[in-house]
């Protein structure tokens, strides 16, 4: 009986895992997992100590134990990394797309071979459920390398009758919510287009980026084509301000994105900014309600809600409000919160103590604003950073819960009567990254897609990613696209 229940639950959740990212049958992944006590910087194909000799701890957010030490790169280290990239650039461009593609294929294949190790480390260092690391983050990271490997020798077909040239050195700065995946999103298209890169992972989740550096070395990539420098915001700022960087690709908060835009104004550096979001997930009365409820759960609780495109605002048509809310509450009670390493866990640890405080502050704001709160009745582990999945009902459009990005497992629920009201409310935020529409009518889905001001719109699904599909935002969610053919334009001079 118990087993049947677990199976049914897993089937329900498998809605979001029916992916076809395996470009070829994946090889058997090795069982070996190695985390070194200390990671140095990866510059010019070598692991080097930081000039400052300073290191900081990476923490397992589910246990608060120290995972390892990470090097802190200063301006001098960043300069070394940029010089190494610059030095590698002419030869890397010259070998041509066909050869570059072979390296990318090799990296993709090696990620598959070490998928288990990467998944385990991603969950230990970042707190996400192992099922998500295993089924989403790591296979999708490999898929990005496979996908852009295929483009490397076909760039002239992507831009017919145009001349395409690489930009030079790309500075890439990524956040902590999808550490390896964001590194893949950045590195794969840049290399396919013939650029060299200097990448900085987020402070709390650098380990898989350093494992990727080891893998890149094993793949035999020429020295200096990829350089990885770890550190805090200052390290990122040193990349942004370096005069010999031709392109800044940033994924992170709107606040830092704005400051980056100011810093590089007038420098001629090309930029893409992938910033925050506050996506509307809209359920119409004609939607398949059970499927929609599952999509809402996936939309906001996937990766603890640490997702830029999370469906953090639910708009439900008034005629089905009671049914949807009741089903959501029942489903919330079945979610398993706890050890990210347990494959039955649905909701893992919040990435850091700071982020947990941000989320709990927003929950207090919701309470003070007087909205009805519903939290799943789950035991919160004594150690580690955890937050119960939370709903707020009948949230006012002007409230901070409806307007600001929380980046945690907190859903603000609102209602609407007409299509126009749904569009008006959904578009009424500073952001415009993604949206979801649940309806039985194709025409309604297309009409909504045309009118919603968001870069990605899902119909009868949510949080579905694919390397062939461009991703990016409007308004304060940033500009430029990553993924798909559009993702190539961000790393090329097309004339
Ligand atoms: P963040 O604070 O903006 O940090 C992002 C990255 O920038 C980190 O590596 C960070 O280093 C670095 N950084 C901090 N200050 C900097 C500065 N002044 N100059 C250059 N780099 C600097 O964002 P986060 O808290 O890590 O990530 C959460 C945010 O990212 C959310 O708003 C989310 O919506 C957004 N996000 C967007 C997308 C998208 O595709 N649109 C995807 C994922 C996440 P530290 O690690 O040391 O802070
Ligand atoms: Mg960590």
């Amino acid at each position: 009986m118990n087993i049947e229940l677990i199976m049914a639950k897993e089937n329900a959740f498998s809605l979001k895992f029916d992916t076809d990212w395996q470009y070829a049958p994946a090889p058997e992944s090795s069982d070996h997992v190695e985390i070194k006590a200390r990671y140095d910087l990866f510059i010019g194909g070598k692991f080097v100590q930081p000039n400052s000799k300073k290191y900081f701890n990476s923490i397992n957010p589910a246990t608060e134990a120290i995972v390892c030490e990470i090097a802190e790169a200063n301006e001098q280290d960043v300069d070394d990394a940029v010089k190494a990239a610059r030095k590698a650039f002419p030869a890397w461009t010259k070998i041509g797309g066909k050869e570059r593609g072979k390296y990318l294929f090799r990296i993709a294949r090696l990620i598959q071979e070490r998928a288990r190790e990467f998944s385990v480390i991603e969950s230990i260092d970042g707190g996400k459920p192992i099922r998500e690391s295993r089924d989403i983050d790591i296979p999708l990271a490999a898929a990005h390398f496979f996908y852009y490997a295929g483009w490397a020798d076909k760039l002239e077909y992507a831009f017919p009758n145009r001349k395409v040239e690489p930009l030079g050195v790309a500075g890439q700065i990524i956040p902590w919510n999808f550490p390896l995946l964001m590194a893949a999103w950045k590195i794969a298209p840049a290399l396919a287009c013939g650029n060299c890169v200097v990448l900085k992972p987020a402070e709390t989740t650098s380990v898989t980026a350093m494992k990727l550096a080891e893998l890149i070395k094993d793949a035999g990539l020429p020295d200096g084509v990829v350089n990885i420098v770890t550190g805090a915001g200052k390290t990122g700022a040193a990349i942004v301000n370096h005069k010999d960087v031709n392109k800044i690709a940033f994924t992170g908060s709107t606040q830092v994105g704005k400051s980056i835009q100011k810093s590089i104004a007038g420098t001629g550096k090309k930029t893409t900014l992938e910033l925050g979001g506050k996506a509307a997930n809209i359920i119409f009365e004609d939607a398949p309600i059970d499927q929609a409820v599952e999509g809402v759960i996936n939309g906001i609780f996937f990766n603890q809600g640490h997702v830029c495109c999370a469906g953090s605002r639910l708009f439900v048509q008034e005629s089905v409000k009671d049914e949807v809310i009741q089903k959501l509450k029942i489903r919330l009670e079945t979610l398993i919160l706890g050890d990210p390493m347990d494959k039955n866990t649905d909701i893992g640890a919040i990435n850091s103590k700071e982020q947990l405080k941000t989320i709990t502050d927003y929950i207090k704001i919701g309470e003070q604003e007087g909205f009805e709160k519903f939290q799943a009745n789950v035991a919160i582990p004594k150690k580690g950073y955890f937050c119960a999945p939370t709903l707020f009902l009948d949230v006012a459009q002007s409230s901070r819960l409806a307007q600001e990005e929380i980046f945690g497992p907190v859903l603000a629920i609102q209602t609407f009567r007409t299509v126009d009201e749904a569009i008006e409310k959904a578009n009424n935020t500073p952001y415009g990254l993604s949206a979801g529409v649940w309806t039985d009518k194709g025409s309604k889905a297309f009409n909504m897609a045309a009118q919603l001001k968001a870069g990605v719109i899902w119909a009868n699904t949510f949080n579905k990613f694919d390397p062939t599909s461009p991703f990016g935002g409007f308004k304060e969610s940033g500009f430029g696209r990553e993924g798909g053919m559009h993702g190539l334009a961000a790393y090329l001079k097309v004339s």
Side-chain angles (χ1 to χ4, degrees):
M1 187 65 183
N2 265 342
I3 289 169
E4 267 181 41
L5 271 175
I6 291 167
M7 296 258 307
K9 208 176 100 52
E10 287 214 327
N11 282 341
F13 238 87
S14 74
L15 257 179
K16 64 182 190 195
F17 297 151
D18 59 343
T19 49
D20 51 3
W21 299 319
Q22 303 295 1
Y23 283 50
E28 185 57 30
S29 174
S30 143
D31 271 342
H32 182 72
V33 175
E34 185 195 6
I35 304 179
K36 295 200 173 99
R38 167 181 273 204
Y39 284 93
D40 288 319
L41 308 170
F42 184 58
I43 296 176
K46 295 186 183 61
F47 290 93
V48 297
Q49 290 189 2
N51 280 292
S52 65
K53 304 280 183 284
K54 282 192 198 153
Y55 293 81
F56 58 92
N57 291 333
S58 199
I59 305 292
N60 176 340
T63 62
E64 300 176 44
I66 294 170
V67 177
C68 61
E69 287 184 337
I70 303 287
E72 188 183 311
N74 64 16
E75 278 181 24
Q76 179 62 53
D77 300 304
V78 169
D79 186 51
D80 292 345
V82 173
K83 284 200 176 107
R86 181 62 58 197
K87 191 173 160 206
F89 177 61
W92 180 241
T93 313
K94 209 168 159 208
I95 60 167
K98 198 169 162 196
E99 289 305 309
R100 290 200 302 272
K102 283 185 198 166
Y103 284 109
L104 292 177
F105 274 121
R106 205 176 295 159
I107 292 170
R109 203 72 177 150
L110 284 173
I111 293 175
Q112 287 188 322
E113 279 173 25
R114 299 184 200 166
R116 200 168 298 178
E117 180 175 25
F118 273 99
S119 307
V120 166
I121 296 176
E122 204 72 301
S123 285
I124 289 176
D125 195 34
K128 66 174 68 204
I130 186 73
R131 203 177 42 200
E132 294 181 1
S133 308
R134 182 195 67 189
D135 296 347
I136 307 264
D137 291 62
I138 310 306
L140 198 44
H144 272 269
F145 279 103
F146 276 122
Y147 176 74
Y148 281 109
W151 272 120
D153 62 349
K154 301 174 193 70
L155 298 175
E156 60 270 40
Y157 297 98
F159 303 93
N161 304 320
R162 311 278 294 274
K163 187 175 163 212
V164 293
E165 293 164 83
L167 300 172
V169 176
Q172 308 182 316
I173 301 164
I174 56 172
W176 42 259
N177 54 348
F178 295 94
L180 185 76
L181 183 55
M182 288 298 113
W185 274 34
K186 296 272 182 280
I187 294 174
L191 264 46
C193 293
N195 303 280
C196 294
V197 310
V198 176
L199 175 114
K200 188 195 97 65
E203 207 178 333
T204 58
T205 53
S206 300
V207 186
T208 46
M210 296 322 297
K211 295 298 294 186
L212 181 64
E214 292 175 355
L215 182 151
I216 281 171
K217 207 167 156 53
D218 293 347
L221 196 75
D223 292 350
V225 171
V226 170
N227 305 275
I228 303 185
V229 288
T230 44
K234 268 176 111 175
T235 310
I239 296 175
V240 170
N241 295 324
H242 197 290
K243 59 176 178 7
D244 211 17
V245 168
N246 305 95
K247 147 103 193 182
I248 296 294
F250 173 78
T251 298
S253 62
T254 295
Q255 193 194 356
V256 174
K258 282 182 180 174
S259 80
I260 288 178
Q261 219 182 343
K262 278 188 200 149
S263 315
I264 63 173
T267 62
K269 284 176 193 163
K270 197 165 169 163
T271 330
T272 36
L273 298 177
E274 303 275 6
L275 310 176
K278 190 75 184 177
N281 211 348
I282 304 166
I283 304 184
F284 285 100
E285 60 190 2
D286 59 11
I289 298 295
D290 288 345
Q291 198 186 325
V293 165
E294 205 49 43
V296 170
I297 293 282
N298 166 25
I300 184 64
F301 300 124
F302 168 51
N303 201 27
Q304 297 72 246
H306 303 327
V307 183
C308 48
C309 51
S312 50
R313 294 181 298 154
L314 168 62
F315 290 95
V316 49
Q317 200 156 18
E318 278 187 7
S319 47
V320 288
K321 176 190 166 190
D322 291 345
E323 182 187 357
V324 168
I325 304 284
Q326 191 202 10
K327 286 187 165 164
L328 265 180
K329 286 179 175 175
I330 291 170
R331 184 67 177 92
L332 221 64
E333 295 290 9
T334 68
L335 294 174
I336 300 174
L337 177 144
D339 183 3
M341 300 309 291
D342 182 335
K343 69 179 172 18
N344 289 315
T345 294
D346 298 312
I347 302 193
I350 299 301
N351 185 265
S352 66
K353 201 175 177 176
E354 293 71 28
Q355 187 60 22
L356 181 58
K357 177 161 184 334
T358 303
I359 299 166
T360 40
D361 284 351
Y362 272 110
I363 292 176
K364 277 185 210 139
I365 289 168
E367 289 166 351
Q368 281 156 7
E369 288 188 335
F371 305 125
E372 184 188 332
K373 183 182 85 174
F374 178 84
Q375 269 183 328
N377 186 20
V378 284
I380 301 288
K382 292 211 169 53
K383 276 242 165 206
Y385 317 129
F386 291 91
C387 177
T390 306
L391 311 177
F392 278 100
L393 307 178
D394 295 316
V395 170
Q397 178 71 28
S398 59
S399 75
R400 292 184 63 188
L401 282 197
Q403 292 292 329
E404 296 177 16
E405 184 182 48
I406 300 172
F407 224 57
V410 182
L411 180 66
I413 303 177
Q414 297 175 259
T415 59
F416 68 93
R417 289 202 182 92
T418 64
V419 170
D420 286 348
E421 189 187 351
I423 292 167
E424 152 99 36
K425 283 182 165 171
N427 283 339
N428 183 2
T429 78
Y431 297 108
L433 190 56
S434 66
V437 180
W438 299 83
T439 173
D440 196 31
K441 306 265 180 307
S443 58
K444 207 185 257 178
F446 283 116
N447 174 40
M448 294 296 288
Q451 300 200 57
L452 288 168
K453 289 194 184 66
V456 180
I457 301 182
W458 287 290
N460 295 339
T461 187
F462 207 92
N463 277 340
K464 197 113 171 144
F465 308 98
D466 194 285
T468 62
S469 173
F471 186 92
F474 290 106
K475 302 194 279 184
E476 296 209 354
S477 292
F479 53 80
R481 294 292 177 265
E482 292 186 311
M485 216 169 79
H486 296 64
L488 297 169
Y491 286 100
L492 288 170
K493 189 173 156 216
V494 183
S495 47

